[in-house]
Amino acid sequence: MTNPTVLVTGATGTVGSALLPAVKSRGATVRAMIRSPFKVMPGVENVVADLRDPEAVTAALEGVDAAFLNSPSDEDAADLQIRFADLAQKVGVKRLVVLSQYEARTDSPVRFLRWHAEVEAHVRGLGLDHTVLRPNLYMQSLLGFAGTIAQGLLAAPIGDAAVSVVDTRDVAATAAAVLTSQGHTGRTYTLTGPRAVTHEQIAQALSKATGQAIDFQDVPPGQFVSALTGMIPPWQLQGLVEDYAHYARGEAAEVHTSVTDLTGAPARDIADFAHDHAGAFAQD
């Protein structure tokens, strides 16, 4: 596609906000799908639509050549994404790039991986020109624990298992490449960092970047749940525990080269992330 119009869902999120300028830099016309008119994204076309509103989504898809499908963290996220894919096909969108998750499969004990696999299967059945991106655990998820990390503690029920964590900026750069170039039809790309790291190694990287001692503590799942109860919905917390059990079993350590293969740039290491975000983990 030459100078395509690309719709980005989840445009105000961590991946989406990085994807907008990445797609624009590749010569595309970028349309950000936002849920609130008060959260306009700069430098691109904005369209207000919610995945729960089929009419608004249909209007947002009009004239779009390619779409990036992400969704908010909702219990019915799979249903919302499936409906979006159906609407994209109906409107005549030429390409759909689906943000999934590392190791998504229908028989997974992790609910999020089952939901993503359900969306993937549905999109395949539509016959659309589509590509699936399966990123591993986001480095940026550490920002959600910035308060305790700043106090010198990184705690998680993961033991010494290593995870090939990926920076969301690399996820966005990869998505931009796939949205604006040829040769990706029907492909599934797993996105990881350049190496698998333990949480002890993550704590060490954060310590070096911030200049303060940050220790990792392996905690039982029950203690992890108690610490987060009331901060996120119960279904999401239960899913997060399932995610961490998946990591603790050593099922998320494989390293893939898709980021470099598709962008031409090396994937960011946890040391790069720690350096760039050191201020978020600094003590007050």
Side-chain angles (χ1 to χ4, degrees):
M1 291 181 286
T2 303
N3 300 321
T5 296
V6 177
L7 176 70
V8 176
T9 65
T12 61
T14 307
V15 174
S17 59
L19 179 56
L20 298 176
V23 173
K24 187 176 180 180
S25 71
R26 289 175 171 267
T29 297
V30 184
R31 184 179 298 176
M33 195 170 104
I34 57 177
R35 288 189 290 174
S36 169
F38 302 107
K39 291 188 177 181
V40 172
M41 302 304 288
V44 299
E45 177 187 349
N46 286 262
V47 58
V48 179
D50 191 298
L51 288 177
R52 298 184 183 283
D53 185 342
E55 291 186 4
V57 170
T58 299
L61 286 165
E62 290 291 346
V64 166
D65 298 298
F68 176 73
L69 176 55
N70 189 9
S71 74
S73 184
D74 290 314
E75 197 167 9
D76 59 348
D79 292 336
L80 295 174
Q81 291 185 68
I82 285 171
R83 184 166 64 187
F84 180 95
D86 289 342
L87 293 172
Q89 181 192 43
K90 183 177 180 180
V91 170
V93 173
K94 298 181 180 70
R95 178 177 300 168
L96 184 63
V97 175
V98 180
L99 188 67
S100 183
Q101 189 175 341
Y102 184 105
E103 282 294 304
R105 67 178 199 271
T106 55
D107 63 345
S108 174
V110 182
R111 69 192 68 193
F112 301 143
L113 301 185
R114 294 195 302 271
W115 296 351
H116 282 299
E118 181 184 354
V119 175
E120 290 184 20
H122 184 81
V123 171
R124 283 195 296 271
L126 291 176
L128 276 172
D129 178 340
H130 73 281
T131 305
V132 174
L133 303 180
R134 289 180 175 177
N136 206 346
L137 175 63
Y138 293 156
M139 295 179 189
Q140 277 73 6
S141 67
L142 291 164
L143 296 171
F145 302 96
T148 55
I149 292 173
Q151 298 305 310
L153 178 63
L154 171 61
I158 194 171
D160 60 358
V163 181
S164 52
V165 291
V166 64
D167 194 297
T168 55
R169 293 170 293 181
D170 291 331
V171 176
T174 304
V178 172
L179 284 160
T180 58
S181 63
Q182 301 298 324
H184 311 293
T185 300
R187 300 290 300 274
T188 296
Y189 297 112
T190 299
L191 310 182
T192 73
R195 62 182 173 128
V197 293
T198 65
H199 271 49
E200 177 64 38
Q201 290 172 314
I202 292 173
Q204 291 170 1
L206 292 171
S207 296
K208 183 177 181 179
T210 61
Q212 58 199 48
I214 297 169
D215 297 318
F216 166 64
Q217 181 179 343
D218 181 38
V219 296
Q223 184 176 333
F224 188 67
V225 169
S226 295
L228 294 176
T229 295
M231 298 175 63
I232 57 177
W235 66 267
Q236 191 174 14
L237 179 53
Q238 292 160 9
L240 186 61
V241 171
E242 293 167 2
D243 261 338
Y244 270 94
H246 161 64
Y247 303 141
R249 290 191 295 268
E251 297 170 352
E254 191 170 296
V255 174
H256 291 251
T257 61
S258 297
V259 169
T260 300
D261 295 342
L262 293 167
T263 68
R268 290 174 174 85
D269 186 75
I270 188 63
D272 301 317
F273 167 84
H275 175 270
D276 294 345
H277 296 83
F281 303 106
Q283 293 182 358
D284 295 334

